[in-house]
Amino acid sequence: MGIRVCKFGGSSVADAVQLRKVRAIVDARPDRLFVVPSAPGKRFSADEKVTDLLYRADAATRKPDPKGLSFEQIFDLISERYRKILADLGLGFDLTPALAEVHDRIQGGAGADYAASRGEYLCGLIVAKLLDRPFVDPADMILFDASGRFLAEETQQRVADRLTREKAGVVPGFYGALPDGSIKTFSRGGSDMTGSIVARGVGAELYENWTDVSGLLMTDPRIVERPRTIPSITYRELRELSYMGATVLHEEAIFPVRIAGIPVQILNTNEPEAPGTRITAAGQEGVPAGRVTGIAGRKDFTIIALEKTLMNAEIGYGRRLLSVLERHGLSWEHMPSGIDTLSIILKSDAVDGKLDQLLAEIREVCQPDSIEVNPGIALVATVGRGMSHQPGTAAQLFGALAAAGINIRMIDQGSSELNIIVGVENTDFERTVRAIYAAFADTPASRS
Ligand code: ASP
């Protein structure tokens, strides 16, 4: 029997009602052997995540809390969350000693990472009890080096050894340990990473990532009303969309499962029957060919456009331009070029305060005939693995933008033919996303 690893996000473990759903989901299949819980998240929009409370509690041991509470008052809020969950679940389990230890160690200065990690740790103890499975502490197997860099291969070995012995278990998300045994967390949202590591370690057949949305949406629901769900997407497409602002999974969480070729299924704890979204490597079974998978974008880029007669014959022109950026520690996003033109696209906040200096240096080393700056550019990426096999995608895209009267300031198609990026004025951003969505929402890749 293949193994499934189930990671549950903060809203899936926010209270007893949600935790009962978790139990029903895990009990529904015998292959759901390993469970990775986050810390309890928000129960309502004005609520505070336990992780945020823990960061506040730690900070309050050193300086006044911004909301005016003492360390003890913040810690009481945290204890109360867990005590209520336990009481509502009716579990005969005493969390008092664990809470007391966490209290004393945070108060004793164990640090922000230790404090934050206890959200998952305490939740893991409860989930292990609820599911009647062994609790496995990731501090014993998820390893970082002394500088805080995650040690993927060493971890993989340890996780494989340890969890193969356990056969089933609950592994709290978000943290591991430094060589001296002290706790180290991943960046925020890092329980996704733990789930991915556990899936790779046990050689899972599927990594189920349970959230509060029924999969990835084809575009941002704040811009397009009720966009379609993406039934399947490749790791590479997801990376392109995440980079442009679509968020569902922690950015790095893809890497462990991707190395091992394990698919990820994004599922909804509140709607467990919905198929969700499957993330796989290209070419794996169940990936239908189609044109557009998703559309994502971001505002606030700056285009610096240079023009110079016979630029194409001038050896080293691009290098000189890029060396100016390098001196300023700037990374560029895109660099479309023509025969005598070259444009650089950078994030506007990255050039804030240094633009004048930058332009002066570019003028000096590149001697352009003209240099034009436009700071208010939005980029919109249309991503689809099937684009390279179907002529007409670009025509359809540009046709839709022309019909909507949108002026395109820049076009870049990655060499993988996986996406087409257009630059438009910030003020045209939402209209651009809507026009592209309307043009492609009915293509086969997006039909669910
Ligand atoms: N609890 C952590 C956070 O809020 C990690 C996670 O939920 O994935 O960022």
Side-chain angles (χ1 to χ4, degrees), residues 7-10 37-41 49-52 55 116 119-120 173-174 186-193 250:
K7 180 261 172 177
F8 290 92
S38 284
K49 287 174 149 199
V50 165
T51 310
D52 292 324
Y55 279 121
E120 271 72 5
F174 193 34
F186 291 108
S187 57
R188 295 300 304 264
S191 295
D192 282 340
M193 185 69 184
H250 186 280

Side-chain angles (χ1 to χ4, degrees), residues 196-241:
S196 186
I197 291 166
V198 170
R200 182 181 174 205
V202 301
E205 183 184 76
L206 184 65
Y207 170 25
E208 294 183 341
N209 191 292
W210 292 87
T211 61
D212 54 5
V213 289
S214 296
L216 274 159
L217 298 174
M218 203 177 149
T219 193
D220 188 337
R222 289 165 300 187
I223 301 176
V224 170
E225 210 181 312
R226 294 173 43 80
R228 287 171 183 276
T229 300
I230 300 172
S232 78
I233 185 168
T234 63
Y235 299 127
R236 284 178 64 201
E237 287 174 306
L238 182 67
R239 175 133 173 77
E240 301 274 353
L241 288 173

Side-chain angles (χ1 to χ4, degrees), residues 127-210:
V127 172
K129 203 78 201 159
L130 179 72
L131 302 176
D132 193 21
R133 290 180 190 204
F135 172 91
V136 183
D137 196 332
D140 300 333
M141 54 188 192
I142 295 185
L143 310 174
F144 294 84
D145 71 12
S147 67
R149 206 171 46 93
F150 170 56
L151 297 170
E153 296 316 312
E154 290 87 332
T155 295
Q156 147 77 8
Q157 263 311 319
R158 287 268 195 120
V159 172
D161 291 350
R162 178 72 203 276
L163 295 185
T164 318
R165 264 187 282 134
E166 290 295 349
K167 302 214 166 42
V170 174
V171 184
F174 193 34
Y175 70 94
L178 294 168
D180 67 1
S182 58
I183 296 295
K184 167 83 187 137
T185 62
F186 291 108
S187 57
R188 295 300 304 264
S191 295
D192 282 340
M193 185 69 184
T194 311
S196 186
I197 291 166
V198 170
R200 182 181 174 205
V202 301
E205 183 184 76
L206 184 65
Y207 170 25
E208 294 183 341
N209 191 292
W210 292 87

Side-chain angles (χ1 to χ4, degrees), residues 19-153:
L19 282 162
R20 282 203 191 91
K21 295 180 190 169
V22 167
R23 180 167 57 188
I25 288 166
V26 174
D27 286 351
R29 289 187 63 111
D31 55 355
R32 290 187 171 136
L33 292 175
F34 292 95
V35 174
V36 176
S38 284
K42 291 184 179 194
R43 294 159 294 181
F44 41 88
S45 67
D47 199 12
E48 207 164 349
K49 287 174 149 199
V50 165
T51 310
D52 292 324
L53 287 170
L54 285 159
Y55 279 121
R56 266 176 75 191
D58 166 66
T61 62
R62 295 183 297 277
K63 53 181 194 234
D65 175 56
K67 294 187 188 160
L69 297 192
S70 67
F71 165 76
E72 294 299 342
Q73 286 170 316
I74 301 167
F75 201 84
D76 281 351
L77 294 175
I78 297 163
S79 305
E80 217 15 69
R81 286 286 303 262
Y82 287 106
R83 288 190 198 287
K84 180 156 172 40
I85 288 174
L86 274 175
D88 292 350
L89 284 175
L91 282 181
F93 174 50
D94 186 9
L95 204 61
T96 311
L99 282 167
E101 188 193 339
V102 171
H103 171 280
D104 293 353
R105 290 198 55 192
I106 297 178
Q107 198 175 36
D113 278 26
Y114 171 81
S117 74
R118 296 304 90 179
E120 271 72 5
Y121 172 81
L122 293 166
C123 188
L125 292 175
I126 294 176
V127 172
K129 203 78 201 159
L130 179 72
L131 302 176
D132 193 21
R133 290 180 190 204
F135 172 91
V136 183
D137 196 332
D140 300 333
M141 54 188 192
I142 295 185
L143 310 174
F144 294 84
D145 71 12
S147 67
R149 206 171 46 93
F150 170 56
L151 297 170
E153 296 316 312

